[in-house]
Amino acid sequence: MKIYNTLTKHVDEFIPHNKDLVTMYTCGPTVYHYAHIGNLRTYIFEDVLEKTLNYLGYNVKRAMNITDVGHLTSDSDSGEDKMLKGAKREHKTVLDIANFYTEAFKKDTEKLNIKWPEIVSKATDNIDEYLKIINALIKKGYAYQSGGNVYFDTSKLTDYYQLTNHKIDEMVVGVRKGVEEDKAKKNQADFALWFTKSKFDDQELKWDSPFGLGYPGWHIECSGISLKYLGENLDIHCGGIDNIFPHHTNEIAQSESYLGHKWCNYWIHGEHLNDETGKMSKSKGDFLTVNLLEEKGYNPIAYRFMCLNTSYRKVLVFSYDALDKATTTYNKLKNKVLALKPSSLLEEEKYKEYDDKFKEYISNDLNTSNAITLIYEVLKSNLNDSTKYELIKSWDKVLSLDLTTLESNNIDIDEEYIQKQIDLRNKAKQEKNYQLADQIRNDLAAKGIILKDTREATIYEINTNISHN
Ligand code: AMP
Ligand code: ZN
């Protein structure tokens, strides 16, 4: 597989440390509010990446954090803790806010067919891990205590900016938005690992530490959780492009200084979803959530389809017009797939040919739009319906567009067709062609039609509850 690597600024061949188990870390949500559909675009791309690796035969161990402490309103250590802000807004505790929005995020991911990572860990559950790293960084001379906080000393690194095009000058106060002067820092690019002093004394969650009662910085959370669950040699680290600096830059600085060796080889970033006015944000008026789309009558999967039609590396501009178009195209495509009447044996050679093409597209820097075009090619081709259906069903393991899933209200009960299939299956059984008999049964099952062999005859039931995989 080839993938664009922010670290090398090239499309690189993907070579994992251990080909039997790929490790992947994805930065999780800050659970102080609903995720907007921009955030979810990033999770969709990460989901496609994980499923692509699976499709190409890799086992993937993936971890994600839930940020429930330490993420300040400005990424450069100033401003209020976002969680505290959420709690004040809703007159609840930080814990209540975290639980509520973690659950809401999980529901959004389910609606978008985003697989929940194997390991999901709350930032507040790993305090010991951060303290272990911070202690070691102080001992090694990479971190210092000042003004009550612990900071990472960026001047100790020659390649602090390896992931980004930022220049030291841009960290000077007044040059970059969100950079406030912090007199406790030796260098303005230094970042906090542990806070005991912030402007906001009423920080709700604090822990004992050798540096005083306090709480971790945001960046150390991801390093800590990743190192704890995925080990010292990470293959892939993902996030949205806004994470490149300072978040991922700081993660590299602290993790590699702690480990004493290179940490992660592939840094993969998704471009943003913008609205027509520019950047999407949680504080803007029409705050675009999955719930809002549903309230307006949209199927969340049509949004996923819209995302997959554009490269994850290109800006996508959201408009209801664009979503309307995506919805129409998606529904037409799905209807075409559901109209297929698989009833013969797979054309195995052709199947492999098309499937290889699909693999070629997705392994070329996740070219999902070409993969979708290939579905149309298959539908137009002279392959038999079984081969078309099985190909699309298989590709949907990566795309997760529910293309072969029936909703309870659109099961098309074509009794004549079903009876014909039952007769064909009985004939196949008589001729001892059990492969064909099984395939007919499985194809019908995939369409929600379950065959039951009774003593008298074969009957069928409609199952409205089928899941896609
Ligand atoms: P947050 O909950 O703010 O920590 O962000 C969660 C994820 O969404 C991070 O990986 C961000 O990089 C990503 N993200 C933030 N804004 C956007 C956007 N407009 N489009 C796509 N991804 C975004
Ligand atoms: Zn992170």
Side-chain angles (χ1 to χ4, degrees), residues 27-30 32 36 38-43 46 71 82 218 239-243 270-274 279-280 282:
C27 288
T30 308
Y32 72 113
H36 59 55
N39 301 130
L40 289 156
R41 182 187 182 201
T42 295
Y43 298 104
E46 292 162 347
H71 193 173
K82 288 189 180 184
W218 171 41
I241 45 141
D242 58 303
N243 283 159
E271 246 301 351
H272 274 185
L273 176 81
N274 291 341
K279 201 175 176 284
M280 184 149 308
K282 295 188 191 187

Side-chain angles (χ1 to χ4, degrees), residues 335-436:
N335 285 337
K336 275 188 192 149
V337 177
L338 290 179
L340 292 172
K341 298 199 164 148
S343 60
S344 36
L345 275 180
L346 269 192
E347 297 163 280
E348 297 200 4
E349 248 172 63
K350 288 271 177 206
Y351 180 100
K352 192 173 174 312
E353 226 173 83
Y354 274 98
D355 196 39
D356 285 347
K357 194 93 201 147
F358 177 77
K359 285 182 183 153
E360 187 188 315
Y361 288 146
I362 55 169
S363 55
N364 181 15
D365 204 16
L366 305 184
N367 196 334
T368 45
S369 69
N370 271 2
I372 290 171
T373 308
L374 193 63
I375 298 180
Y376 288 100
E377 274 176 40
V378 160
L379 287 168
K380 271 194 229 137
S381 73
N382 57 8
L383 293 171
N384 68 30
D385 276 14
S386 291
T387 311
K388 289 180 183 177
Y389 187 80
E390 292 300 329
L391 278 167
I392 295 168
K393 192 169 142 208
S394 180
W395 299 347
D396 216 25
K397 288 181 202 158
V398 176
L399 306 172
S400 299
L401 292 170
D402 288 347
L403 289 174
T404 57
T405 311
L406 294 153
E407 280 98 47
S408 49
N409 56 0
N410 70 4
I411 291 194
D412 173 19
I413 307 175
D414 180 343
E415 287 182 10
E416 207 181 311
Y417 164 71
I418 299 172
Q419 196 48 54
K420 216 167 122 198
Q421 295 310 105
I422 292 176
D423 294 345
L424 272 174
R425 176 168 170 265
N426 287 340
K427 188 161 166 268
K429 283 208 302 197
Q430 272 164 17
E431 289 166 359
K432 296 202 164 38
N433 188 350
Y434 296 113
Q435 197 191 351
L436 177 61

Side-chain angles (χ1 to χ4, degrees), residues 46 84-85 94 166 194 221 247 293 308 325 379 411:
E46 292 162 347
L84 189 61
K85 203 174 156 187
V94 162
H166 276 81
W194 187 263
E221 296 173 10
H247 186 47
L293 294 189
L308 297 193
K325 283 194 187 107
L379 287 168
I411 291 194

